[in-house]
Amino acid sequence: ARAALARAETELEASRDELEQGREAARAAVAELDDALETAQDSLRTTRAAMEAAAEEATAERAALQTNLTHALSRASSAEEAAAAGNALEEASRAAAAAAAA
């Protein structure tokens, strides 16, 4: 009976050692996964910040292009109006010259 008890105690101690080794391996794996998660989260934050900055820049560029387009269209409209006024002035001058000649 003593021999069986001694064997049982030895097996119990071996099981405890094995359990402790498993716990240590699990702690190491959890720490490694935690580090990997932190690295991934840092990368995600950096990527998100870069994307937000790029979106803000694109929005600002779009607004500037829209402003430039509005100004260009306004200038084109003014140029067309000036050309039409010039044409009308030429026609009025011709009509006045014709009337004076008659």
Side-chain angles (χ1 to χ4, degrees):
R2 280 192 177 173
L5 182 59
R7 260 193 320 270
E9 286 178 354
T10 301
E11 288 176 12
L12 179 60
E13 189 60 34
S15 294
R16 285 183 178 151
D17 289 343
E18 188 177 325
L19 177 61
E20 186 56 34
Q21 288 173 358
R23 286 180 177 165
E24 287 177 20
R27 277 192 290 271
V30 167
E32 185 177 323
L33 289 172
D34 188 50
D35 289 345
L37 177 61
E38 285 182 32
T39 299
Q41 288 173 333
D42 289 344
S43 177
L44 178 60
R45 275 190 288 277
T46 300
T47 301
R48 183 174 288 148
M51 288 178 64
E52 288 172 359
E56 288 176 14
E57 184 178 333
T59 300
E61 286 181 24
R62 178 178 174 254
L65 289 171
Q66 183 68 38
T67 300
N68 290 342
L69 178 60
T70 300
H71 289 282
L73 290 173
S74 176
R75 284 192 299 272
S77 177
S78 296
E80 288 174 4
E81 290 170 6
N87 289 341
L89 183 59
E90 277 184 37
E91 286 180 30
S93 295
R94 279 190 220 125

